Amino acid sequence: MNGNNRKDIRPGVRLHITQKQDQRTGKLTGGIVKDILTKSAFHSRGIKVRLQTGEVGRVQEIVETGQEVAGRG
């Protein structure tokens, strides 16, 4: 799942982002969402988020939404 729609992203979601300095290389950084920084419902280059580690970047790929874990059991 890509990270262009704000409705797909919530705090606690595990995903991959591209940080500003890595845009040219496409290097991805994995982590868990702490804050959603983009206010609009859609962004063509990815919703901007802050990870729990403090890194900021645009979402490239959602790895685990949290619903998969909550749905088990």
Side-chain angles (χ1 to χ4, degrees):
M1 186 181 303
N2 68 21
N4 295 354
N5 295 308
R6 194 174 195 277
K7 66 178 176 59
D8 297 332
I9 302 165
R10 304 178 271 301
V13 170
R14 182 177 301 278
L15 43 70
H16 292 129
I17 64 169
T18 298
Q19 296 181 69
K20 183 78 169 178
Q21 67 268 22
D22 297 328
Q23 285 178 344
R24 289 182 185 211
T25 64
K27 178 185 168 199
L28 297 177
T29 302
I32 298 173
V33 177
K34 179 179 180 184
D35 300 308
I36 302 172
L37 304 177
T38 299
K39 298 298 181 196
S40 63
F42 176 86
H43 195 285
S44 61
R45 285 176 281 144
I47 300 296
K48 190 178 280 189
V49 298
R50 178 179 295 116
L51 302 180
Q52 289 179 346
T53 56
E55 296 157 313
V56 173
R58 295 199 179 272
V59 178
Q60 301 302 309
E61 177 184 27
I62 298 172
V63 177
E64 185 177 275
T65 64
Q67 291 179 348
E68 291 90 356
V69 175
R72 295 181 197 151

